[in-house]
Amino acid sequence: MEQEKKVSSRFIYFFGSFGGILFGYDIGVMTGALPFLQSDWGLYDEAAVIGWVTSGVMFGAIFGGALAGQLSDRFGRRKMILASALVFVLGSILCGMAPHDGALYLVLVRILLGLAVGAASALVPAYMSELAPARLRGRLSGLNQTMIVSGMLLSYIVDFLLKDLPETWAWRTMLAMAALPAIVLYFGVLRLPESPRFLIKHGREQEALRVLGYIRSPQEAQREVATIKDMARREERSAARTSFASLLDGKYRYLVIAGVGVAAFQQFQGANAIFYYIPLIVENATGNSASSALLWPIIQGVILVLGSLLFLLIADKFNRRLLLTVGGTVMGLSFLLPALLNTLIADADPMMIVIFLSIYVAFYSFTWAPLTWVIVGEIFPLAIRGRASGVASSFNWIGSFAVGLLFPIMTASMPQEAVFAIFGVICLLGVIFVRARVPETRGRSLEDIETNSLPIRGAAATGAGTVNQFDESR
């Protein structure tokens, strides 16, 4: 434990969120690699193969998130982040070694890689929310999103720099270089402490107090340990052992539906259709080669990073539900308006859709993108937090997998504007879900959220607890 005493709070927060780099890089790297892979293997008319190669990571992530969430309740968040980093290194190298025309091999390896990606997406928000103080939890948990989009931008830049290599070396190098951030993550996490809430849940109170001492004053650390212990005792009395069936228990169901619903809507809104396929979208709109459009992903990546930095400034100044409502509304209109304008204007500029997609990315970057993981990290009760975070992550990846797989198939059978209009409707449905089902969590401790969050309908009926739950003026 002497080594842990040397760990600074900045180091903890930085590497606690660094796991986002892993799946941010992998989300982005295929954007640039795909045109070269498509040319190298002659996949121009193979929409289903392209969809599976692209979405294989998301398919694996569906299971990786759920598995890691369950195992982290037993072995700890830190150990599972280390394991996911090792799997990521292995999977990235194997992707770069794919045999020529080995589509099935590449799909299977990317499914393996997805196990690590899904694990990181489940573990990082839970770890960060359990370390962050309530007053800073939105901002510090938002570091996860900053890491994700920084990983995406890094991959876009790497893709652009490698675009002049022979095509077979270009895409292989792009995919294999994903191992580098995973190696950095592994050695950084080796020095991280375990989550204090996990330690207390497993009877290691002194270790939890020591960890909280790195990032709290002594008085704050003592109070937080007492609060966590009290909540843990209450959970033990009500449910000595939890399982996935516990997620549907009456006292948890409302918060589980809220967290899982937000995670699912984030992906079904279609963001990854832009991030994975923007060169192909530009090619479809302009007729220019997709491999010559690799500057557009960098533009999208810069917008994402700037949006994530904006979120860090406003995260704890505006309510979660307000930001999700504004963001989802503008995102939906950004998808719907191009379809409407193309219907009304026969010779509309084909690049108009790319401009509207940039507006979508801008609002997504500081609302739904980071807030999904903030909410997933803070809304679930301690007794089910690992499993519930894993399920939320899995539903998020189900949406990502469906979008990644179906987008090239849909655009092969209908106009791009019609496909994006479908996503626009989903964005607006997400806003309705937030207003109806998601409690306000800004500025509240994890234990307070668990104790006092009631369904909106129930709160309205009783007239009780409205300030703690949904006061939009806070």
Side-chain angles (χ1 to χ4, degrees):
M1 300 303 294
E2 291 299 317
Q3 184 182 19
E4 287 191 0
K5 291 182 179 179
K6 301 176 184 178
V7 181
S8 70
S9 60
R10 290 184 178 180
F11 187 93
I12 290 173
Y13 293 142
F14 179 82
F15 278 101
S17 61
F18 193 82
I21 288 279
L22 268 66
F23 66 98
Y25 187 97
D26 200 81
I27 285 173
V29 72
M30 186 53 76
T31 303
L34 188 59
F36 296 98
L37 174 64
Q38 195 175 29
S39 175
D40 189 26
W41 288 2
L43 300 176
Y44 292 109
D45 297 320
E46 300 288 345
V49 174
I50 292 172
W52 271 105
V53 169
T54 302
S55 61
V57 164
M58 287 86 88
F59 184 76
I62 295 170
F63 305 99
L67 181 63
Q70 185 173 13
L71 292 177
S72 73
D73 281 341
R74 179 178 299 179
F75 299 110
R77 321 306 190 212
R78 175 180 173 274
K79 289 181 180 178
M80 293 310 301
I81 293 175
L82 286 171
S84 68
L86 291 176
V87 175
F88 202 94
V89 171
L90 176 64
S92 300
I93 294 173
L94 290 177
C95 281
M97 297 170 60
H100 187 71
D101 290 333
L104 178 59
Y105 168 94
L106 191 56
V107 169
L108 293 176
V109 171
R110 284 180 60 75
I111 290 174
L112 171 67
L113 190 61
L115 295 175
V117 171
S121 71
L123 297 170
V124 170
Y127 182 83
M128 288 299 290
S129 69
E130 293 182 353
L131 283 168
R135 68 182 183 278
L136 297 176
R137 196 172 57 242
R139 186 179 305 170
L140 291 175
S141 297
L143 280 176
N144 178 45
Q145 178 62 21
T146 301
M147 290 294 184
I148 293 172
V149 296
S150 296
M152 292 172 67
L153 178 57
L154 176 63
S155 72
Y156 296 152
I157 294 172
V158 169
D159 289 350
F160 186 80
L161 294 176
L162 297 176
K163 67 182 175 63
D164 294 325
L165 289 176
E167 59 186 17
T168 187
W169 284 104
W171 69 264
R172 292 177 186 277
T173 307
M174 292 172 185
L175 297 183
M177 285 187 67
L180 295 181
I183 293 171
V184 174
L185 173 68
Y186 181 84
F187 285 104
V189 174
L190 279 178
R191 293 193 61 209
L192 289 185
E194 184 53 82
S195 156
R197 284 171 173 80
F198 171 84
L199 293 172
I200 290 175
K201 189 177 178 181
H202 289 262
R204 297 155 64 181
E205 180 180 337
Q206 289 305 311
E207 291 181 56
L209 187 61
R210 187 179 295 112
V211 171
L212 286 171
Y214 305 150
I215 49 182
R216 307 281 197 279
S217 69
Q219 295 79 11
E220 288 176 330
Q222 291 283 359
R223 285 197 299 269
E224 192 160 337
V225 165
T227 301
I228 298 170
K229 283 177 61 180
D230 180 63
M231 182 61 66
R233 281 195 296 266
R234 289 164 57 186
E235 294 294 347
E236 288 173 5
R237 287 196 298 268
S238 61
R241 298 183 65 183
T242 62
S243 64
F244 280 108
S246 303
L247 304 184
L248 300 178
D249 189 88
K251 65 178 181 177
Y252 300 136
R253 187 186 305 120
Y254 174 65
L255 293 176
V256 170
I257 290 173
V260 172
V262 169
F265 267 110
Q266 187 210 43
Q267 286 303 324
F268 281 108
Q269 289 168 338
N272 276 356
I274 303 173
F275 303 143
Y276 276 112
Y277 297 112
I278 186 64
L280 300 181
I281 292 169
V282 174
E283 179 184 51
N284 195 317
T286 65
N288 296 326
S289 169
S291 60
S292 67
L294 294 187
L295 189 59
W296 273 103
I298 295 179
I299 295 172
Q300 303 288 341
V302 170
I303 294 173
L304 283 169
V305 171
L306 292 176
S308 73
L309 295 176
L310 172 62
F311 175 75
L312 295 182
L313 295 176
I314 67 174
D316 297 301
K317 297 179 181 178
F318 295 94
N319 281 354
R320 317 292 198 226
R321 298 201 318 147
L322 175 62
L323 289 175
L324 289 174
T325 299
V326 172
T329 301
V330 175
M331 288 155 53
L333 293 176
S334 298
F335 276 149
L336 291 168
L337 286 177
L340 178 61
L341 291 175
N342 269 282
T343 302
L344 299 176
I345 305 173
D347 57 347
D349 188 337
M351 284 299 290
M352 174 185 61
I353 190 171
V354 180
I355 302 302
F356 275 104
L357 292 185
S358 298
I359 296 173
Y360 171 99
V361 170
F363 277 82
Y364 175 81
S365 67
F366 69 89
T367 58
W368 279 83
L371 276 170
T372 293
W373 301 113
V374 173
I375 289 174
V376 166
E378 68 188 5
I379 202 170
F380 298 126
L382 176 62
I384 60 166
R385 187 166 296 141
R387 286 187 175 89
S389 296
V391 171
S393 174
S394 293
F395 271 82
N396 184 269
W397 287 110
I398 288 171
S400 183
F401 167 70
V403 170
L405 176 64
L406 296 177
F407 182 77
I409 298 173
M410 293 169 70
T411 53
S413 59
M414 68 178 74
Q416 274 193 156
E417 293 82 0
V419 177
F420 286 125
I422 295 172
F423 291 140
V425 172
I426 295 174
C427 288
L428 298 181
L429 291 175
V431 171
I432 294 172
F433 176 82
V434 167
R435 304 308 300 179
R437 302 295 300 180
V438 179
E440 184 54 59
T441 56
R442 178 174 69 98
R444 299 166 60 191
S445 71
L446 301 182
E447 289 70 34
D448 177 49
I449 294 168
E450 177 176 349
T451 302
N452 296 316
S453 290
L454 299 172
I456 292 177
R457 199 179 319 169
T462 62
T466 55
V467 173
N468 274 346
Q469 294 158 28
F470 308 112
D471 183 2
E472 296 286 356
S473 65
R474 286 184 60 182

